[in-house]
Structure formats: structure tokens, C-alpha cells
Amino acid sequence: RWNEDFFPFTQPSFELEIYHNDEWMEVLGCGVIHEQVLDLSKRSDRRGWAFGLGLERLAMILFKIPDIRLFWTDDVRFHSQFEEGKIVEFLPYSKYPPVFKDIAFWTSKEAECGSKSNGANESSGDNGRFVENDFFDLVRSVAGDLVEKIELIDSFTHPKTGRSSRCYRVSYRSMDRSLTNEEIDELQFKLRDECGVSLGCELR
């Protein structure tokens, strides 16, 4: 499916998602190159189309790799499983335990949200509506590669106010060490603060 999206250098912008294993996964972001970009490049007489294909996500499906962060690891247990020209199923090896943290908040208006990993229909700046992809991006900007998974575990709309409540579970895991509750609590508190400032959400 195609969804409208927001990228800083294209207008309009779109994303392409495929439905796989009961969830929507973004595989392509694209859009018409913004006129200001062309002006600064002294190409005002041209029009351009920009896109980026998520090859890592396609490889995850093809080789059954569960975590995109494995592509950036130096662990020989990962790299030794693959050879050029051969398609094999990834064999998981032991990993450090995850740390789970939940975050729940009210949004200003109910929004139909897809999933980025696991789409967005509008930019959060357009009309104040909550966009799930913006939340996913915010989580990863706060915690980086320590975020393994973000999943919606509960949602409902208040029958009187029409406000939407959403609860997400964030799975934190390091590829090379055990995480402590203390360091993840610090990230989680920062995430809670940023949700109010950046997304205008009211924490529960």
C-alpha cells in the first residue's frame, strides 16, 4: 500500500509498505524533490524524483533475520553463516536479555496509524493528529540502536471526549552486553519528556 509521508527534501512524499507476516513493513520512501533543493543546486529548470529502497528489510525476509541491527554487527557468528550467491536461513545464536518498558499517553485526536517496522498517513505537523511513525522515530532518536522492537499493546478511544489512548511496549536490548534497569530507566524518562514536547501527547 502507498501512504502519504513526510521527508524534509521532498514534497509531496510517499512510502510503500508490504503486508508480510500479519504486519505492514515499509520498504520504500520516495517523493518529488523539493523546489528549494533544486534552486540551491542551480537546477531550477529541472524536476526530480528521489527514493530509497529498504534492502535490509527485504534481506530480513529472504534470510529470516529477526533484527535489523545484526547487519551492523562484527560478530563472526552472524557473518560466517552467509556466502555469496547462496540463500540460507539465519540460525539464531544466544543474545543478551531484553529490558521491557511501557509508555502510555493520550493523543489529541484519534489517528489511523500503520506500522513502520512492524506507516503513517500524515505528518504530525499538518493538523495535530498523532502519527505512529513519528513516535517510532522519536524512540529511536532517544535510545538509538538499543531499541530492538516497538509494539502497540493497547489502545482505546474515550466515548465522551473522543481522545485516543495508546500504550506501547519498547524492547531494549544490546548486541554485546547486558543492560541495566537504571540506564534504561534514564532513557525511558527522557522519552516520556520528549513525547510531551515533540508530539504534544499527554502521558498517562
Side-chain angles (χ1 to χ4, degrees):
R1 69 182 181 184
W2 288 96
N3 293 323
E4 292 185 12
D5 207 335
F6 170 79
F7 302 111
F9 305 114
T10 56
Q11 179 64 35
S13 305
F14 305 93
E15 66 174 9
L16 175 64
E17 297 179 325
I18 60 174
Y19 193 70
H20 179 74
N21 284 348
D22 297 325
E23 62 182 18
W24 288 100
M25 179 174 66
E26 182 186 357
V27 296
L28 173 70
C30 60
V32 178
I33 298 176
H34 202 288
E35 291 184 359
Q36 186 176 6
V37 175
L38 296 172
D39 291 343
L40 292 173
S41 303
K42 302 186 186 305
R43 292 292 186 271
S44 303
D45 58 327
R46 305 290 182 88
R47 292 295 178 265
W49 178 260
F51 67 92
L53 183 64
L55 293 177
E56 297 95 339
R57 299 182 186 277
L58 298 179
M60 290 173 69
I61 295 176
L62 189 62
F63 296 96
K64 292 184 169 56
I65 297 171
D67 191 331
I68 195 171
R69 298 174 301 170
L70 287 167
F71 289 108
W72 308 313
T73 183
D74 293 326
D75 198 316
V76 68
R77 293 176 295 177
F78 177 76
H79 295 283
S80 63
Q81 294 190 35
F82 306 100
E83 295 181 35
E84 185 177 353
K86 293 184 179 181
I87 298 177
V88 297
E89 183 174 338
F90 171 68
L91 299 176
Y93 48 84
S94 61
K95 296 193 292 186
Y96 294 90
V99 178
F100 303 104
K101 297 292 180 180
D102 295 348
I103 180 171
F105 47 78
W106 294 101
T107 62
S108 56
K109 296 181 182 179
E110 185 179 7
E112 296 179 0
C113 297
S115 163
K116 192 167 189 173
S117 63
N118 319 313
N121 299 320
E122 307 176 45
S123 167
S124 59
D126 291 341
N127 58 8
R129 294 180 66 181
F130 173 77
V131 177
E132 192 173 61
N133 277 4
D134 292 343
F135 174 69
F136 291 161
D137 290 341
L138 178 61
V139 175
R140 299 190 185 282
S141 71
V142 170
D145 290 342
L146 292 181
V147 178
E148 181 178 58
K149 184 191 298 184
I150 310 165
E151 53 187 334
L152 179 67
I153 61 174
D154 184 61
S155 66
F156 72 91
T157 301
H158 195 286
K160 293 184 178 180
T161 65
R163 299 179 74 195
S164 176
S165 171
R166 307 177 73 84
C167 180
Y168 290 89
R169 176 159 295 159
V170 183
S171 302
Y172 298 89
R173 192 197 308 252
S174 172
M175 303 298 292
D176 53 17
R177 63 184 178 87
S178 292
L179 300 173
T180 65
N181 267 313
E182 290 76 15
E183 65 178 312
I184 298 306
D185 281 345
E186 184 176 346
L187 291 174
Q188 191 73 2
F189 285 130
K190 183 177 180 181
L191 173 61
R192 289 172 60 86
D193 291 340
E194 288 295 331
C195 275
V197 174
S198 301
L199 303 181
C201 298
E202 180 183 337
L203 294 169
R204 296 183 60 204

